[in-house]
Amino acid sequence: MQSQIISRSEHPISRKNIHPDALKVLYRLGRKGFTAYLVGGGVRDLLLGLKPKDFDISTNATPTQIRRTFQNCFLIGRRFRLAHIRFGDNIIETSTFRRCPDSNDDSEDGDLYVFQDNCYGTPEEDALRRDFTINGLFYEVKNFTIIDHVGGINDIHHGLVRSIGDPNIRFQEDPVRMIRAIRFASRLDFHIEPATYNAILRHHSQILKASPPRVFEELHKLFAYGSGEKAVRLLYKTGLLHDLLPELADFLDHNHGQDSVLWDWLVQLDHKTLHEDKTNPVLIFSTLFSAPIKQVMAHHEARGGRVILMDILGNVLLPICLRMSMPKAMAARMLQVMANQSRFVPDKRKRFSKRGFVAQDCFPETLALYDISLRVDGQDTRQTGQWKALRQELEQKNQIISPEPKERKRPPRKRRPGRTRV
Ligand code: ATP
Ligand code: MG
């Protein structure tokens, strides 16, 4: 592929949209004689007129040279050292150009999974090791140009998520890229280019080779931009959902697939995310599993059994959460949030402390999930205002129950009689 340089008059990126801290890093590295570019999602989002979440920089300075250049620099990562340059709470991640490592293509079973990712390279090699063409663009602050080694500009204009290099190889090297393709397509409302899409259809089951915490992190990010419904539809269509969350895929297979009620839950979750501009993994995953869990409950009730929701959550949902590598405290909170749903319409036969319920640490997510469920059922949501008001009152009075168990003081050690300390 012929590299392309796009001059300032041919693209819309203006320095005033780049974070001043990122500009400081670019200029300082330049003054010290290094090459440094703004890279990745920052360039992509600026070209699309979106506000980037973060600004990443790539340079030919080695990690040690970067540390010498910035006092506020911390090196992280053992396999591949990255520099975090800190400005108060803001971190500018700065990495040395690296190249695509050789995959294990000489392994006996033809396994292409890459275990190492730590070889320095040229700027062009750095662009080629990235996942998608739209993420492989460089912005050069010295002359305000964009350098395109991968055909990213064209794909941005055509709204396409295209793998850099052969997607069949790139997805086997790192299967998490398949979830990332879905994230960018759903968030940006782009199409996945046909060869890239077909490679996902072919290799989706490889996702089971990826590290569960990384997969969990990427799954969570699918919901971060209010496009979770579209993302889960794509996971389902490509077969990834059957590998990652087979219980959810089964639920869809048996409940009208693309017309299932699950999509109504996700549409409401997306509305909330867009409206509140933040995500909460407890709310995300409890929304995702509400419809299937309600169905399991209804199934048990229809058989006349006495069902305790917390038992079903513990037996059915908890193993799924732990398999996904969800942190235990998060899983426990999620189960509590789901079990809490029945408490909005308290059982008159049981003792119920409204204040105790509202004072629970997880009440905000509990109420958010309840609000989503009311909307899914087409019910009036005005009552949620009263609950919110009571919560605010308790917060003002500092009456929220903390989830942390109080630190137990160690009992003082008893001195043995007859011994004196010298
Ligand atoms: P976001 O806006 O969601 O942060 P992003 O494109 O910046 O999107 P990051 O996960 O922050 O995504 O990664 C930064 C850049 O690093 C990407 O744009 C891409 O160039 C590269 N990258 C990240 N993950 C991979 C991967 N698995 N394989 C190859 N390149 C990757
Ligand atoms: Mg990023």
Side-chain angles (χ1 to χ4, degrees):
M1 155 110 17
Q2 183 97 51
S3 298
Q4 212 191 334
I5 296 191
I6 297 110
S7 64
R8 176 64 187 94
S9 59
E10 296 169 295
H11 69 75
I13 298 185
S14 153
R15 267 177 309 165
K16 70 171 191 294
N17 296 326
I18 301 175
H19 197 286
D21 296 337
L23 288 174
K24 271 185 221 161
V25 175
L26 288 168
Y27 282 131
R28 168 97 61 106
L29 284 168
R31 278 200 303 274
K32 293 275 173 188
F34 297 113
T35 305
Y37 302 129
L38 191 68
V39 294
V43 184
R44 177 200 66 217
D45 289 352
L46 287 174
L47 279 170
L48 289 167
L50 302 169
K51 190 167 177 273
K53 200 163 54 78
D54 41 37
F55 290 91
D56 298 329
I57 287 171
S58 257
T59 172
N60 63 351
T62 62
T64 316
Q65 288 169 326
I66 304 171
R67 192 169 50 190
R68 280 202 208 114
T69 310
F70 298 92
Q71 274 180 344
N72 46 340
C73 169
F74 300 83
L75 297 185
I76 59 152
R78 260 188 305 155
R79 261 185 8 183
F80 191 86
R81 307 220 85 191
L82 288 176
H84 273 183
I85 306 176
R86 291 197 194 154
F87 300 86
D89 283 345
N90 193 22
I91 292 178
I92 303 294
E93 194 169 285
T94 306
S95 61
T96 308
F97 295 132
R98 56 184 138 144
R99 66 182 164 82
C100 212
D102 300 327
S103 50
N104 307 343
D105 44 11
D106 53 350
S107 72
E108 276 170 22
D109 56 359
D111 194 343
L112 297 178
Y113 192 85
V114 168
F115 293 97
Q116 295 235 322
D117 186 11
N118 55 0
C119 328
Y120 294 141
T122 62
E124 185 166 356
E125 285 170 332
D126 189 83
L128 292 172
R129 63 113 190 146
R130 291 173 183 275
D131 47 6
F132 303 106
T133 59
I134 56 170
N135 292 344
L137 295 165
F138 295 158
Y139 174 79
E140 158 109 84
V141 77
K142 253 194 286 181
N143 45 20
F144 320 125
T145 53
I146 290 175
I147 304 167
D148 182 4
H149 295 295
V150 292
I153 283 283
N154 212 20
D155 286 338
I156 289 220
H157 288 148
H158 290 97
L160 286 178
V161 178
R162 182 196 306 272
S163 174
I164 295 177
D166 181 348
N168 291 296
I169 296 176
R170 302 304 310 280
F171 291 152
Q172 288 185 78
E173 284 171 356
D174 179 5
V176 168
R177 290 177 185 144
M178 296 188 281
I179 309 181
R180 291 175 58 84
I182 287 179
R183 162 146 70 96
F184 299 120
S186 49
R187 179 196 167 197
L188 305 171
D189 210 11
F190 276 24
H191 286 291
I192 303 180
E193 169 276 331
T196 306
Y197 188 82
N198 287 332
I200 302 182
L201 295 182
R202 215 160 136 202
H203 300 291
H204 61 82
S205 60
Q206 302 268 327
I207 196 66
L208 296 172
K209 281 191 181 174
S211 108
R214 264 190 84 207
V215 170
F216 179 70
E217 189 65 32
E218 282 295 338
L219 278 181
H220 171 208
K221 285 189 190 164
L222 290 177
F223 297 89
Y225 306 94
S227 49
E229 184 234 355
K230 195 166 174 214
V232 179
R233 278 189 191 271
L234 274 170
L235 287 178
Y236 182 51
K237 257 172 78 178
T238 52
L240 278 162
L241 196 67
H242 291 80
D243 307 310
L244 293 169
L245 295 169
E247 301 80 359
L248 209 57
D250 272 359
F251 171 80
L252 287 169
D253 288 343
H254 294 107
N255 290 278
H256 318 290
Q258 299 287 359
D259 295 321
S260 163
V261 66
L262 177 80
W263 310 116
D264 299 338
W265 285 83
L266 297 184
V267 166
Q268 295 304 335
L269 175 69
D270 284 342
H271 278 316
K272 221 177 234 327
T273 308
L274 286 174
H275 187 67
E276 288 167 18
D277 197 24
K278 62 171 193 242
T279 49
N280 176 324
V282 168
L283 183 62
I284 290 170
F285 290 101
S286 52
T287 306
L288 200 54
F289 285 105
S290 280
I293 288 292
K294 273 178 180 244
Q295 192 177 60
V296 176
M297 281 288 287
H299 185 71
H300 279 277
E301 274 163 3
R303 289 198 308 187
R306 197 173 102 82
V307 257
I308 298 171
L309 177 57
M310 205 51 177
D311 289 346
I312 291 192
L313 293 170
N315 293 332
V316 179
L317 198 50
L318 188 59
I320 302 175
C321 296
L322 299 180
R323 191 188 67 216
M324 276 199 286
S325 214
M326 182 185 283
K328 278 199 185 110
M330 192 188 284
R333 193 175 173 104
M334 174 179 153
L335 262 51
Q336 186 63 53
V337 163
M338 293 179 79
N340 272 347
Q341 295 304 306
S342 60
R343 303 182 73 184
F344 285 102
V345 189
D347 184 340
K348 293 215 170 62
R349 291 164 302 176
K350 289 185 188 158
R351 281 181 59 197
F352 173 65
S353 156
K354 196 171 180 181
R355 283 181 169 260
F357 174 46
V358 176
Q360 279 185 15
D361 184 66
C362 66
F363 185 77
E365 293 105 308
T366 300
L367 185 60
L369 184 65
Y370 184 55
D371 185 63
I372 289 178
S373 74
L374 291 176
R375 289 171 197 272
V376 168
D377 293 341
Q379 291 187 41
D380 191 348
T381 57
R382 270 176 299 183
Q383 50 165 309
T384 57
Q386 292 159 15
W387 292 100
K388 212 179 249 172
L390 180 55
R391 172 73 182 194
Q392 276 163 1
E393 184 194 321
L394 296 186
E395 277 171 3
Q396 276 156 13
K397 291 182 182 164
N398 251 340
Q399 288 178 350
I400 303 304
I401 302 164
S402 158
E404 260 88 53
K406 292 229 166 65
E407 226 179 89
R408 270 201 284 152
K409 276 198 189 142
R410 258 206 209 158
R413 252 201 299 166
K414 279 189 193 148
R415 290 238 190 103
R416 284 208 230 142
R419 280 200 176 185
T420 35
R421 235 193 266 185
V422 195

